[in-house]
Every structure is written in structure tokens, then in C-alpha cells.
Amino acid sequence: MKQFRVVPDYHMHTPRCNHAVGSICEYAQAAVDAGLLEIGMSDHSPMPNGFDKAWRMDESELDSFLKELEQAQDEFKDRLKIKSALEVDYYPGAEEYITYLSQYYDWDYLMGSVHFIGDWGFDNPDAVSRFESCDLEQTYCDYFKLVEQSASCGLFDSIGHPDLIKKFGYRVLGKSERVEAAEYAMLEAVKAADVALEISSAGLRKPVKEIYPHPRIVAQAAALDIPFAFGSDAHSPAEVGHAMSDCLALLHHYGITSVATFNKRQRSPMSFVKG
Ligand code: ZN
Ligand code: FE
Ligand code: FE
Ligand code: ZN
């Protein structure tokens, strides 16, 4: 982080989602130790009707999440800002429940993420074999259409890991005009809805070994003047702030010099370039 100022890490989880470790204070201490000044706790939100319930907090856990968060905010108030957030799954039909969640608390931001195409939890390692039999080009188009809808629904401040579909390294080989058109339509929806995209280091820790989103998407987003917010998607305190400088370097390569910060669902830019 020599070249750039430190920025907020807006994506981390708690054990309530059943696949993360560490208390909020442990994430906060890890952030302080890494030199961060601001983080956002964005655990997997509850969803209605038992949707993917093994991988998220139950609605009955929201209050304990917020209580632990407020205690950590108080304990770290002189050292670290801790923002209140959720990573909310988006699928068509979830809008009413997402509206309910948005009114449940005075959140700093809500991040919308697509982890499902229909009933296929495509980022779940247990379901990865479906990549072998699917039409990959159609799958990518379906995915970006859902991300487009997640932006257009107007309920989110940022869009998590905007090309998560590549997580396991299954990619459309060669140039695909259909996929590129779907990506671009997604970006136009993001622009029209005035939401931010996440730049996420999590992909570097997955089989794809690449930042989310792809440099081509970063370049097009930069041309559209779409803001980015950084997230490590930490599922353990050791991952807080992971590869922040690589993500900022990618943004900077395309002429982006600030990231989005969030406070009570208001977005402000923060320059990450020194000098
Ligand atoms: Zn997770
Ligand atoms: Fe996610
Ligand atoms: Fe996450
Ligand atoms: Zn995530």
C-alpha cells in the first residue's frame, strides 16, 4: 500500500452465515493491525422462504448481529469506523423482502449480490459440476442479466463481486459478442441506477485467480464514470484488507483515482492517490 492511501474494506462476514469465522471485534482488530481506518460488516442477509438458508444468518439473528456491531463500533470508536451493512442476495421476486430489510435498521449501505441463477447456486463448490454441462455463453448472459436487474431494482448501494460467475475458472473462450453485450447492459443499468460496483480481491483466492470484475469491465465502468467500492469478502479476520493495493492498482490503471465510501446510505468519493 505504498503507492495509495488506505481505503475502506466494505465486505466481511461473521459466523452467523455458517461459513465464516471470527467475532466482529476480531475483524476490527485485524483491520487496525493492517492499518485500515474503516471497514463495513456485510454478512449474508436473511432471505425469505428458506432461500439458501444454510449459507446465511436467520432473520432471528439480525438483532444479535446489530448488537455485536454496535458494541464493536463503541469499543473501536477512536481507532476504526465500522459501518453497518448487509450482503443481500438478489433474485427476481426478492424485492419486497429486500425493502423490508432496508427499513429494518439505519444501514450505512446494502450490497446486492447474485449467487443464484434460478435454483443453481453457481458459486457453491458442491454445484460446480453444472458448469460442465451448461451452455457457458448462455450462463454468463443469464448471470449478467440478473446483475443488471439487481442494479435496476434500486434497492442497493453497491453490487458485490460483479462477475462472480467466473469464480471456478469456467470461461467463454474467445470473444463473445453476446457476453460482452450482457456485460455492457449490466453496466448501463448500474450507471442509470447510480450504484457502485465492488472491486473484490476474493477472486484472487479462488480457482479463477483474478480480481472481480475483469479488467475489461473495469475499463468500461471507468468510461461510464461508475464508482467502485473495495471489498475483500473476508470470511476470516486474516483476510481483511487482502490485496487492497492490487485492486486499487487495477482501478488506477484505468484512470480511476477515488473509491466510494458510504454513510447512512449516502455515497461520497474518497481519493486514494497520494500527493
Ligand atoms: Zn460468504
Ligand atoms: Fe457473495
Ligand atoms: Fe461476501
Ligand atoms: Zn460474498
Side-chain angles (χ1 to χ4, degrees):
M1 242 94 62
K2 292 180 202 76
Q3 215 183 333
F4 303 122
R5 290 182 206 281
V6 71
V7 301
D9 181 344
Y10 277 143
H11 194 154
M12 53 201 70
H13 293 276
T14 83
R16 290 172 189 79
C17 68
N18 308 311
H19 62 278
V21 294
S23 66
I24 295 177
C25 281
E26 287 172 323
Y27 282 91
Q29 188 59 53
V32 170
D33 292 345
L36 273 63
L37 303 172
E38 180 170 335
I39 60 172
M41 296 307 301
S42 58
D43 206 3
H44 295 285
S45 77
M47 295 303 292
N49 306 316
F51 174 88
D52 193 34
K53 73 187 205 350
W55 295 81
R56 60 194 56 261
M57 71 172 84
D58 190 79
E59 196 178 302
S60 66
E61 294 174 290
L62 262 176
D63 289 345
S64 83
F65 173 58
L66 291 167
K67 187 175 174 205
E68 187 191 351
L69 182 67
E70 288 175 358
Q71 285 171 345
Q73 285 169 333
D74 191 50
E75 188 170 331
F76 281 82
K77 63 177 182 291
D78 302 325
R79 293 175 283 164
L80 182 74
K81 283 187 199 161
I82 308 175
K83 299 291 173 160
S84 59
L86 289 170
E87 179 179 19
V88 182
D89 268 68
Y90 176 80
Y91 54 88
E95 292 85 354
E96 195 180 330
Y97 188 77
I98 299 166
T99 302
Y100 161 75
L101 283 178
S102 72
Q103 293 164 352
Y104 192 91
Y105 187 71
D106 199 8
W107 305 104
D108 287 305
Y109 61 97
L110 293 180
M111 178 167 52
S113 291
V114 173
H115 301 104
F116 275 78
I117 299 172
D119 66 353
W120 178 23
F122 62 82
D123 78 323
N124 185 334
D126 297 334
V128 70
S129 65
R130 255 170 92 164
F131 278 103
E132 299 286 351
S133 56
C134 75
D135 175 341
L136 212 48
E137 196 173 33
Q138 186 62 47
T139 296
Y140 268 68
C141 290
D142 292 345
Y143 169 76
F144 284 115
K145 184 71 190 176
L146 287 164
V147 180
E148 176 189 328
Q149 290 174 298
S150 75
S152 298
C153 82
L155 296 168
F156 300 120
D157 303 287
S158 69
I159 301 298
H161 39 57
D163 64 348
L164 180 66
I165 190 69
K166 72 184 179 186
K167 172 175 174 177
F168 295 111
Y170 290 88
R171 295 180 188 270
V172 178
L173 297 174
K175 183 178 169 68
S176 166
E177 283 176 13
R178 284 180 64 209
V179 172
E180 289 188 20
E183 283 176 5
Y184 200 72
M186 177 274 285
L187 290 171
E188 288 183 311
V190 168
K191 177 69 182 175
D194 191 28
V195 296
L197 289 177
E198 178 182 49
I199 185 149
S200 167
S201 60
L204 295 169
R205 307 190 299 272
K206 305 299 180 194
V208 70
K209 293 271 186 292
E210 190 180 287
I211 288 166
Y212 306 117
H214 189 278
R216 178 176 67 231
I217 297 177
V218 176
Q220 289 172 329
L224 291 168
D225 206 18
I226 291 170
F228 279 91
F230 168 72
S232 65
D233 208 347
H235 285 70
S236 75
E239 292 171 345
V240 172
H242 171 241
M244 179 189 288
S245 56
D246 300 273
C247 290
L248 297 179
L250 178 58
L251 296 181
H252 193 253
H253 180 78
Y254 291 104
I256 298 168
T257 57
S258 65
V259 291
T261 67
F262 298 105
N263 191 51
K264 303 299 181 200
R265 310 207 66 182
Q266 295 290 115
R267 188 180 75 224
S268 319
M270 174 188 158
S271 170
F272 61 81
V273 178
K274 285 186 175 165

